[in-house]
Amino acid sequence: MRSRQLRIALSSEGTNLAPKRSGQRAICPACRAPVVARCGRLNCWHWSHLGKVDCDPWAEPISDWHLQWQQHIQTLGGQTEVVMTRDGQTHRADAVLNGRVIEFQHSSISVAEILAREAFYGDMVWMFDVRAAYEADRFLLRLRKGHETFRWKHPQRSIVLASKPAFFDLGGGKVLRLRKMYRSTPCAGWGNLMTVNAMDDGKPLRDQRTDKEREADYGSELARQNEEAYQRYGVVSEIIPEPID
């Protein structure tokens, strides 16, 4: 299994401690085992269990993407690297904001792990990193009236079975609130485009565009798609929104 790189450990006095130099010693907040700081030039600075095996089998190595999101949550008054114990299990949640767990998922994840985390955390939301797919035009977004649709080439199909609220980070401050992801091939779905800075009032994200701005965005996107269709096929495309269910 992948091991989660620990960013916050405990000092001998029981206070939170971030790694500052390689070889620094501290205590794991989950299992209370000794950990040592790893402060290299390539990977994000983190704590590592002396036994080489992390006590939490979930999640993945920390990335700059994780750090940026965790820092954003902290500016909103949330907590990061939160140790939680339930039914004899102990795990570290990426972040907790207003009592709700937020899990940031950069790499692929199995259906079994999705179900296990949802059962353990209960009140939670997912944030999936789809920036690479979006930048490579494998995740194609289309603006519609009142919602957005997408087509995803080489998707993370396990997300289809996530029952908790999910969001796709597109990069550049744009996030798609997933409403429906179909199991068909090619993979498609729909949602609502939102802004990262709208995470407040207990709602992880919300669309801050006014109706007028949304209408303008829709008109601009429709014009772009029609121009693209004309350049390719010599005809104007007829954009029909997909059914919402």
Side-chain angles (χ1 to χ4, degrees):
M1 290 186 177
R2 300 182 304 273
S3 63
R4 166 170 290 162
Q5 291 176 334
L6 181 65
R7 290 193 55 244
I8 301 297
L10 296 177
S11 67
S12 57
E13 292 78 25
T15 58
N16 290 342
L17 191 64
K20 296 181 179 179
R21 66 182 184 280
S22 291
Q24 181 184 5
R25 297 298 181 91
I27 301 170
C28 173
C31 67
R32 303 294 171 171
V35 292
V36 60
R38 306 296 186 189
C39 304
R41 295 184 178 182
L42 296 179
N43 298 322
C44 295
W45 291 6
H46 62 280
W47 298 99
S48 177
H49 285 69
L50 290 176
K52 303 298 183 181
V53 178
D54 198 303
C55 62
D56 188 351
W58 287 354
E60 55 195 311
I62 201 71
S63 66
D64 289 338
W65 179 75
H66 281 92
L67 291 177
Q68 290 169 2
W69 269 110
Q70 289 182 328
Q71 290 168 358
H72 179 67
I73 296 300
Q74 290 173 339
T75 64
L76 299 172
Q79 299 174 291
T80 58
E81 298 287 325
V82 180
V83 177
M84 303 178 68
T85 300
R86 291 176 181 170
D87 299 326
Q89 297 184 57
T90 299
H91 296 288
R92 297 191 302 272
D94 284 329
V96 175
L97 179 64
N98 297 317
R100 170 173 281 186
V101 169
I102 306 174
E103 284 288 275
F104 302 109
Q105 192 64 31
H106 174 68
S107 61
S108 60
I109 181 173
S110 68
V111 171
E113 193 166 324
I114 285 179
L115 299 180
R117 285 201 227 174
E118 291 185 342
F120 180 82
Y121 291 125
D123 186 11
M124 67 164 291
V125 299
W126 294 97
M127 178 65 72
F128 294 100
D129 184 8
V130 300
R131 295 172 302 162
Y134 184 68
E135 293 170 1
D137 291 332
R138 292 190 292 105
F139 190 100
L140 300 175
L141 195 64
R142 293 289 183 265
L143 299 180
R144 311 298 190 188
K145 283 189 176 181
H147 69 288
E148 285 75 29
T149 61
F150 66 86
R151 289 286 187 276
W152 191 357
K153 186 177 181 180
H154 307 311
Q156 296 184 38
R157 293 195 176 277
S158 58
I159 297 175
V160 172
L161 295 181
S163 63
K164 302 298 183 180
F167 299 84
F168 291 152
D169 185 358
L170 305 173
K174 294 187 297 184
V175 175
L176 184 72
R177 166 64 165 98
L178 179 64
R179 299 294 183 181
K180 182 70 175 181
M181 183 169 165
Y182 301 99
R183 301 189 187 189
S184 59
T185 301
C187 178
W190 68 276
N192 299 112
L193 195 61
M194 302 177 177
T195 58
V196 170
N197 292 330
M199 187 177 277
D200 59 1
D201 297 332
K203 299 177 180 178
L205 293 159
R206 70 179 183 187
D207 192 349
Q208 288 191 329
R209 290 180 297 172
T210 64
D211 291 340
K212 188 174 182 179
E213 290 172 334
R214 179 177 279 278
E215 188 71 23
D217 287 343
Y218 172 76
S220 298
E221 179 63 16
L222 181 62
R224 188 195 67 77
Q225 291 180 46
N226 280 335
E227 175 63 23
E228 181 181 281
Y230 182 78
Q231 293 295 331
R232 287 187 177 185
Y233 311 112
V235 296
V236 175
S237 65
E238 185 173 345
I239 306 300
I240 303 176
E242 297 183 1
I244 301 177
D245 58 3

